[in-house]
Amino acid sequence: MKKLFLCTCNGTLNKLLDFTRIGKEAKAIYDVVEVADNLCLEEGLAELEKGLSGDDRLVIGACSSQIIGVPMKQRIKNDLVAFVPLREQVGWVHLEEGESATNKAIVLLSDAAVQLDYMESQAEFTENMVGRVLVIGGGIAGLKAASDLHRLGVEVTLLEPFKLDKHHYLQTSVFMSDADTLRSEIQEIQKTILDVERIRGEIREVRGQLGSYEVTINGAKDGSMTQEFGAIIIASGNQQSLPSSAKKMRYGKSERVVTLDSLISNSKKKRAKDRSTILVAVDFDAPMSSVEGSHLLRTTRDLAARGNTIIVVYSDIQTEDENLYREARDSGVIFIRGRVTRIKENDKGLSCRIENTLESMQRDVIADRVAIPRLIGPTIETTQIAEKLGVECDDSGFIRTRYSKMKPVQTSRRGIFVAGGAKMPMSLSDAMASAQNAVLEAFKIVRSPLVRSGWIPVIDDEECDVCKACLDACPNDALRLMDDRIVHIPAHCEFCGICVSACPTRAIEFQSHSKESWFARFEAIAATHKRLEGKKPFSLVFACSECANASIDQAGFVGKQYGTGSYVIQFPCAGMVSPIEILKGLVVGANRVIVAHCPPGGCHHQTGDHLSELVVSLTRDMLREIGQNPDRVRATYMMAAMPDKMQKEVPVRG
Amino acid sequence: MDKRGRLIQKIRNIAVQTPTHILEVPEKVEGFGSINYKPESCSACKKCIEACEVEALDIDLMVQLPAYLSAIIPEEGFRSKNRETLISLLQILKGEGDVQAIPVPSGLSGYGSVVWITEKCIACNKCVEACPEDCLDLEKKYDLPTIIGNVVTPPSISITEWEPFVICFVCWECSHAAADLAGLMHLHYPANIRTVRVPCSGAVEPIQIMTAMENGVDGVLVTGCLLSECHYGGDDPLAGNFMQQDFVHFWQSVFKEIGLGGRLHIDFASAAMGIRFAEIVTEFVEQIRKIGPSPLRGKLEVES
C-alpha cells in the first residue's frame, strides 16, 4: 500500500500550508493519508510504526530527510520511503505565497507518489576482507603505519625499497624536524615492529579490489611473490633535488656555493670567529610548500642566531607558523623579495647582483657564501608505485587524494591510502598524523566483512555495446571490463550514478532511478502543476543529494524566500544528469532547468560537478543550435554554507 | 604506402580529367564500395573502428545534430535507447533555423560520431558486421570524385607519326593458346600488341593495368577463356574470367571518368579460336587508332 504521513511540525506547518486541501488531494493518489503533529518525536514515531505493515511504500511529508531520516530509520524497517521536505522546501521558503505554496506541496507529493512506483529496495552486499595490510615505504610514515597497524592487531607487510640508506634518509629529512628528534622517533618505532614482516623489493603487479588486492612483489631474495592484501598504504616519501637555477648560481663551480642543509650541519661545529655573510637564493620560479617554507625560516633563523648575517632572496614563502617568520626577522635575517641575477667570484667573496622586484631596483651584495635550499619532490618510487597501483598523481607527481578536507588519505582507488610525504612535503608531526589516519582507514576496511547497501547500476549485457563510456566516466574504478563485458564491483561503487549518464544505449540503469522513472516523475509534476497553477511558469531544479540538497534545506532553515513553481528533484549526484533528463524537463513544460552540483572540486564522487557542467554545456549548445534559448538551462553549484543560492537561482516564480 | 594507397596514387597519376560521377560497382567486384553511416543510431562504441584493419574509420567528437533532427525513428525504435530518446526530445524542441553539428565537450564520454575515410576503405564489410547498432551499411557505389579530387589536364600532344601501342594480358590456358594458334594459322593481325602471359585472366590486378597506362600505352586488352570455361572455376560465377569481366567493366567506368574511355577492353577466346583472337586484337587496335594516342604521352613527354 502507498501511504502518506504528513507532519504539522507541532502545529506550525499547518498555519503556513492548507493541510485540509493537501490531505484531500493526497487521498486521490495515496491509499492512506495520515496527519501527525510531531513525527520526529517518540509518540509520532510510535504512531508511524503502528500505522505501517512491512511491505508498505511510504512518503513522509514533513521536514528534511536529514532530520527525520535518522530517528525514523531506527524505528521503521520499510526501505521504500520517499521524503518530501514540506517544511524546508515549501512552508518556510514561501511564507508570502500561502496558496501557491500549498499547490507546490501537492505537486511534490504527487511526484513522490510516482517516485514510490519505481522505487526498489537497495542492493546489499557482504564481502569478506583480507586481513593483511601492505605498507609501502620504509620512511617515518611507513614505519609509523606499520607500527600502529601491528599494535591494532592487524597483520602487516612492510615493503621497503631495495635501496634504503638510513643515514641518507635522516640527512635528507631534516626539513621534517630536527635530526635528533627524527632519529629518536625512528628508533622508538623500530622497537615496536620487531615482529612485523619486512621485505625488500618493489611492486610488479597489482590486481583486484578493495578488500582483496593481489600484489606481486619482486623481492630481493626469493624472486617474486604474490600475496593478497585487504588494503594498501603508500608511504614512499619524497626526495630533494637542486633547483634548475642552481647551476646559474655557480653551484658546483664555486666551493662557496653550497646547499642550505649542508650549511646547518657544518655550522654547528664552527666557532664564533667563522661568522660570515650568507646569501640564501631561493629559486624564483619553483613554488614552495609551507613545509619547505617553514624549514627555510627555521634554518635561517638558527644560522642568524649563531651570529651569521643572513640575506634571504625569495619570491614567495609560505609557512605553517607565522611566528617562525617573526623569529627569523628578530634573529636578524634580512628578507629581500626578488631574484639573484648574477654571481661573480672575487678575492673578497661572491659578488651577487640582486634584482629587487618589490622596489624595482638592483643591488650588489658581497657574500661569503651562497646557500641554495633544495626543492622537495616525490620520489621516483612514488611515481612507479602510483602507476602500478593505478592511483592518480597531481601535477608535481605527488599522490593525489580525493578530497583534501574529508578524505585526506584516500587515493583515487578505494582501499589504497597515502601516508606522509608521498602526498606532499610534511613536517614530522603531520606525517605521523597522516600515517595514523591512513592506518585507521585501512583498519576500518580489514577488521570486518564489508557490508554495504545502496542503489546500484544494473548492467544489461544484451543492450550493452561495450563502448566503455561508463568505464571512462566512473570515478571510482567500480566498473571494469572482464571477458568483454562490463562488470560492476560493488566494493568500489559509491552509488553516484555517473555511469548511467554516460551510457548511450541504456544498458545501465540505476536502481530506483531509471530513465522511465524520471520521465514519469517530470510528467506528474508538470500535469499537477498545470492543473493547480494553470499557465504560470515553473522550473525544475536537479539537485545533487549532497551539497546542493543541503543548501536548499539550509535556505529553509534560514528562511531565504524564493519563488514557488520551483520543484527540486534529488539526484544521487549531479553527474548522473544527462541531456535527456534536462530536455525532457523542458519538453514537459518547465520554463527552466537548473542543475545544482557541489562546489567546483568538491564533488563527493570526485567528478560529478565537472561532468554536470559538461552535460549542461552540451545541452545548451544543442538548444542554441535547434533554435531554443539556451539560457533555459543552467548549471550552478550550491553548498550548505551558501543558503542564499536558491534565492539567487529562483528569485521569482519559474 | 599500402596496396590500396598505391593503386589510388596510380589512378591519380593517369587521370587526365576530373571525375564527376559516383560509380556503380558491379556485382562481383569486391573491395570497392561506400559506407553509409547513420549517426542517429550510433552509440560511438568504436566497435567499427576497432574492426577496421585499414584505419578507414575514425571517431569524430561531434554531435551530428542535422542527422539527429532529420532522423525517422523506426517503430521498434533504435537499439540505442538513450540516443533514441535524445533524438525524439530534440525533435520536439526544434525551433526555427538551420542546424549544424556541434563539438562534444572535452572530457564527456558517450558521445561522438564516426568519420569514414573514403580512399582508405577496402569495402571489406568488417565494420558493418561489428556494428551493434546497425548504423553502417556497405553500398555498391564508388565515390571516385572524392577519392581522385581535382585533376590537371596534361598538355595536348601533336604526334604526326603514331602507331598504337597495346598491352594484351593473355591467360595461360585458353587465350594464350589461341594467340599461338593464330600464329600457326598464319593469321594476320596488327603488330601493335605486346602479350603478357598471366596464369588466369582473373589474376590481372588493377595496379598492373594502371602501371601500363602510366607508362604511356594507348590501350590495355585483357583476354581469357570463354565464359563458363575458365580453368579456375569453370561455370562458377566466381571463376576467374567471370570476376575479371566485372572488374574490367568497373575499371572501364573508372577510365571513362578520368578521361581514358575506350582504352581498356576484355574479351574471351578458347584455345581453338585463333581466328577469334586475331579479330579481337584487330578490332581493339582499330578502336585505339580511332581514339588516338594516350593523352598521357604528352604528360610523359613533358616529364622527360
Side-chain angles (χ1 to χ4, degrees):
Chain A
M1 288 230 275
K2 238 192 253 182
K3 293 184 179 170
L4 169 66
F5 281 82
L6 297 167
C7 177
T8 65
C9 198
N10 258 328
T12 57
L13 209 51
N14 50 355
K15 300 278 187 301
L16 302 171
L17 303 170
D18 183 350
F19 265 54
T20 329
R21 193 151 72 85
I22 293 173
K24 214 163 78 189
E25 290 270 0
K27 284 213 171 79
I29 35 179
Y30 291 92
D31 301 312
V32 174
V33 179
E34 301 272 358
V35 181
D37 278 336
N38 35 28
L39 265 187
C40 60
L41 300 184
E42 175 54 33
E43 55 198 272
L45 287 168
E47 204 178 313
L48 182 62
E49 197 178 11
K50 210 170 66 194
L52 284 176
S53 68
D55 53 354
D56 281 339
R57 287 162 184 256
L58 178 66
V59 169
I60 301 289
C63 48
S64 159
S65 64
Q66 318 228 26
I67 293 171
I68 193 163
V70 178
M72 229 194 78
K73 203 163 188 175
Q74 291 182 320
R75 285 293 279 266
I76 311 290
K77 294 289 163 277
N78 304 45
D79 58 349
L80 303 178
V81 187
F83 294 92
V84 178
L86 288 183
R87 192 178 72 172
E88 288 80 8
Q89 295 190 14
V90 186
W92 284 358
V93 288
H94 306 310
L95 292 170
E96 306 293 323
E97 299 184 77
E99 196 186 336
S100 273
T102 304
N103 288 343
K104 179 175 172 179
I106 295 164
V107 171
L108 291 179
L109 290 172
S110 68
D111 166 40
V114 178
Q115 195 186 351
L116 278 192
D117 290 338
Y118 290 90
M119 200 175 270
E120 298 164 66
S121 298
Q122 296 193 333
E124 284 189 19
F125 320 91
T126 305
E127 294 196 28
N128 286 323
M129 303 280 115
V130 175
R132 187 172 274 275
V133 175
L134 175 68
V135 177
I136 307 169
I140 183 79
L143 292 171
K144 174 73 178 160
S147 161
D148 278 12
L149 282 164
H150 183 60
R151 213 174 50 194
L152 286 165
V154 178
E155 291 177 306
V156 194
T157 299
L158 179 61
L159 175 66
E160 291 169 293
F162 285 123
K163 284 182 238 160
L164 182 68
D165 179 348
K166 272 181 202 137
H167 181 67
H168 179 73
Y169 177 78
L170 280 172
Q171 218 175 29
T172 55
S173 299
V174 282
F175 67 90
M176 297 176 84
S177 170
D178 64 275
D180 293 336
T181 318
L182 196 61
R183 190 180 297 110
S184 68
E185 197 71 54
I186 288 178
Q187 278 166 357
E188 281 304 308
I189 297 173
Q190 293 274 22
K191 281 183 215 155
T192 64
I193 54 168
L194 298 173
D195 304 333
V196 167
E197 182 187 33
R198 296 173 79 160
I199 37 179
R200 289 270 170 120
E202 61 186 24
I203 303 239
R204 193 170 72 190
E205 199 188 358
V206 178
R207 303 202 309 193
Q209 64 205 52
L210 166 116
S212 57
Y213 278 112
E214 197 182 289
V215 183
T216 308
I217 296 165
N218 281 344
K221 278 185 240 154
D222 331 311
S224 77
M225 56 162 267
T226 302
Q227 201 170 0
E228 281 211 317
F229 298 96
I232 300 173
I233 295 174
I234 305 171
S236 46
N238 44 39
Q239 66 183 15
Q240 287 153 305
S241 58
L242 282 164
S244 53
S245 59
K247 210 169 157 191
K248 214 177 140 200
M249 299 293 121
R250 301 187 64 81
Y251 182 83
K253 288 180 201 153
S254 163
E255 281 179 15
R256 291 170 183 271
V257 182
V258 291
T259 64
L260 183 60
D261 288 341
S262 70
L263 219 51
I264 323 164
S265 38
N266 291 345
S267 71
K268 276 182 195 166
K269 299 162 200 157
K270 292 195 174 172
R271 293 183 304 274
K273 69 168 186 174
D274 297 317
R275 285 174 190 165
S276 53
T277 307
I278 302 166
L279 183 125
V280 181
V282 181
D283 191 279
F284 191 78
D285 300 310
M288 182 188 265
S289 69
S290 59
V291 171
E292 289 168 287
S294 303
H295 177 56
L296 172 76
L297 293 173
R298 219 180 286 126
T299 42
T300 49
R301 174 199 64 191
D302 294 349
L303 287 169
R306 283 181 205 127
N308 297 299
T309 307
I310 308 289
I311 305 163
V312 178
V313 183
Y314 71 100
S315 68
D316 187 20
I317 300 175
Q318 292 185 46
T319 171
E320 298 163 305
D321 183 0
E322 194 64 24
N323 285 327
L324 279 176
Y325 175 67
R326 277 191 209 106
E327 285 168 20
R329 289 208 81 126
D330 291 346
S331 327
V333 179
I334 303 159
F335 289 91
I336 300 176
R337 192 181 190 281
R339 66 171 107 203
V340 179
T341 52
R342 196 192 65 193
I343 295 181
K344 275 186 179 169
E345 194 165 8
N346 54 33
D347 304 343
K348 293 180 205 156
L350 296 161
S351 161
C352 310
R353 174 156 296 172
I354 300 164
E355 185 190 318
N356 186 328
T357 50
L358 214 58
E359 295 166 4
S360 307
M361 56 179 283
Q362 286 193 344
R363 194 186 294 197
D364 287 319
V365 170
I366 306 286
D368 299 314
R369 286 173 180 278
V370 166
I372 300 171
R374 288 199 281 194
L375 302 174
I376 304 175
T379 54
I380 306 159
E381 286 85 6
T382 303
T383 319
Q384 290 164 350
I385 291 164
E387 199 191 318
K388 296 276 182 202
L389 266 60
V391 300
E392 288 170 16
C393 293
D394 64 16
D395 293 340
S396 18
F398 285 110
I399 306 274
R400 192 195 294 280
T401 52
R402 290 212 46 170
Y403 195 24
S404 56
K405 282 183 187 157
M406 283 159 63
K407 292 174 180 170
V409 294
Q410 171 68 59
T411 67
S412 60
R413 280 187 98 172
R414 286 177 68 93
I416 302 181
F417 306 97
V418 59
K423 179 188 170 182
M424 58 181 197
M426 282 190 191
S427 65
L428 179 64
S429 53
D430 281 356
M432 301 281 265
S434 91
Q436 285 171 327
N437 193 344
V439 163
L440 285 177
E441 292 293 336
F443 179 65
K444 277 197 277 185
I445 289 174
V446 299
R447 69 175 165 165
S448 58
L450 177 77
V451 182
R452 307 188 78 205
S453 61
W455 289 307
I456 54 161
V458 180
I459 302 155
D460 181 347
D461 284 343
E462 287 290 304
E463 290 286 316
C464 180
D465 285 353
V466 202
C467 70
K468 307 189 197 85
C470 51
L471 298 195
D472 294 342
C474 176
N476 297 305
D477 187 30
L479 291 168
R480 290 184 191 171
L481 188 65
M482 288 179 188
D483 301 329
D484 223 22
R485 51 187 288 261
I486 307 291
V487 180
H488 180 235
I489 314 277
H492 282 213
C493 186
E494 290 200 349
F495 318 119
C496 63
I498 286 175
C499 49
V500 179
S501 164
C503 181
T505 66
R506 209 171 295 175
I508 300 192
E509 285 272 44
F510 204 66
Q511 287 185 322
S512 303
H513 297 79
S514 65
K515 287 273 184 289
E516 210 181 303
S517 77
W518 294 124
F519 297 171
R521 289 179 61 183
F522 302 163
E523 277 159 10
I525 289 175
T528 319
H529 174 87
K530 208 172 162 192
R531 183 165 60 78
L532 298 173
E533 299 258 314
K535 286 208 160 76
K536 289 178 187 169
F538 70 96
S539 50
L540 295 176
V541 180
F542 297 167
C544 86
S545 61
E546 311 279 355
C547 292
N549 194 54
S551 166
I552 298 168
D553 279 348
Q554 195 67 23
F557 292 132
V558 298
K560 290 275 176 192
Q561 306 293 303
Y562 50 87
T564 51
S566 45
Y567 305 115
V568 176
I569 295 169
Q570 244 192 70
F571 280 70
C573 170
M576 187 183 179
V577 179
S578 77
I580 294 177
E581 286 89 14
I582 300 175
L583 294 175
K584 181 71 184 181
L586 298 180
V587 166
V588 298
N591 197 35
R592 296 200 303 148
V593 174
I594 296 154
V595 181
H597 52 78
C598 297
C603 173
H604 292 57
H605 309 289
Q606 269 187 313
T607 55
D609 58 321
H610 180 56
L611 286 178
S612 56
E613 288 282 350
L614 293 182
V615 162
V616 167
S617 145
L618 175 64
T619 314
R620 285 171 61 98
D621 287 350
M622 290 197 286
L623 287 172
R624 190 177 295 118
E625 212 45 61
I626 62 171
Q628 289 283 356
N629 180 7
D631 293 337
R632 291 175 67 189
V633 175
R634 51 179 268 118
T636 184
Y637 71 88
M638 293 188 178
M639 57 198 276
M642 299 173 81
D644 56 342
K645 266 291 199 178
M646 245 333 239
Q647 203 175 38
K648 278 189 187 144
E649 290 302 326
V650 211
V652 288
R653 153 182 299 283
Chain B
M1 202 190 292
D2 62 359
K3 200 168 174 183
R4 175 55 58 95
R6 289 202 304 274
L7 175 65
I8 288 170
Q9 192 51 52
K10 293 233 182 228
I11 301 177
R12 284 191 189 128
N13 289 348
I14 62 171
V16 294
Q17 75 180 42
T18 305
T20 52
H21 293 96
I22 290 174
L23 304 176
E24 295 286 337
V25 178
E27 189 200 337
K28 293 192 195 74
V29 172
E30 289 192 10
F32 299 90
S34 295
I35 294 296
N36 265 336
Y37 168 63
K38 298 195 285 283
E40 60 269 26
S41 58
C42 175
S43 66
C45 69
K46 306 190 193 79
K47 285 273 183 306
C48 52
I49 297 170
E50 283 161 24
C52 183
E53 288 172 12
V54 292
E55 295 174 357
L57 293 169
D58 202 356
I59 195 81
D60 183 19
L61 289 176
M62 296 294 282
V63 179
Q64 298 295 343
L65 283 180
Y68 282 15
L69 289 163
S70 59
I72 297 160
I73 296 167
E75 207 167 296
E76 71 280 8
F78 294 139
R79 183 185 138 81
S80 181
K81 283 282 167 278
N82 281 355
R83 215 42 117 234
E84 179 195 320
T85 313
L86 179 66
I87 289 168
S88 58
L89 290 170
L90 285 170
Q91 288 181 350
I92 296 169
L93 287 167
K94 170 81 179 79
E96 295 295 307
D98 281 346
V99 177
Q100 305 276 321
I102 54 166
V104 180
S106 155
L108 194 60
S109 44
Y111 299 89
S113 52
V114 169
V115 278
W116 173 62
I117 302 144
T118 322
E119 63 174 277
K120 282 189 178 176
C121 178
I122 54 165
C124 64
N125 211 40
K126 285 197 174 124
C127 54
V128 180
E129 285 161 18
C131 178
E133 300 287 350
D134 199 21
C135 54
L136 295 171
D137 68 64
L138 181 61
E139 206 181 9
K140 295 231 121 200
K141 291 237 163 83
Y142 196 57
D143 188 359
L144 201 63
T146 307
I147 293 167
I148 302 302
N150 259 338
V151 173
V152 182
T153 313
S156 58
I157 41 160
S158 53
I159 299 173
T160 41
E161 284 194 21
W162 166 73
E163 273 297 316
F165 180 81
V166 172
I167 289 285
C168 176
F169 291 101
V170 291
C171 89
W172 200 294
E173 310 286 348
C174 286
S175 52
H176 189 256
D180 276 356
L181 186 60
L184 280 173
M185 292 167 77
H186 296 272
L187 295 172
H188 282 264
Y189 59 81
N192 306 60
I193 68 158
R194 300 291 177 273
T195 52
V196 177
R197 204 171 72 161
V198 289
C200 170
S201 62
V204 177
E205 289 191 47
I207 203 158
Q208 293 155 350
I209 300 174
M210 305 308 157
T211 308
M213 296 305 296
E214 201 181 15
N215 283 289
V217 304
D218 301 303
V220 174
L221 180 60
V222 181
T223 58
C225 305
L226 285 181
L227 287 174
S228 304
E229 287 178 14
C230 179
H231 288 62
Y232 307 100
D235 55 0
D236 189 306
L238 294 179
N241 54 6
F242 271 125
M243 290 273 289
Q244 191 61 275
Q245 190 182 25
D246 270 10
F247 264 100
V248 168
H249 287 159
F250 177 58
W251 293 116
Q252 281 171 339
S253 63
V254 171
F255 272 31
K256 197 177 159 203
E257 279 296 310
I258 60 174
L260 298 173
R263 294 183 189 276
L264 175 64
H265 183 62
I266 186 164
D267 221 322
F268 311 94
S270 79
M273 295 166 83
I275 302 169
R276 177 70 193 133
F277 183 81
E279 278 172 16
I280 293 169
V281 174
T282 314
E283 281 163 18
F284 186 63
V285 171
E286 267 319 298
Q287 187 184 325
I288 295 295
R289 212 180 281 282
K290 267 184 220 158
I291 306 172
S294 161
L296 287 150
R297 285 182 180 234
K299 199 174 173 183
L300 290 171
E301 252 172 31
V302 173
E303 278 167 12
S304 64

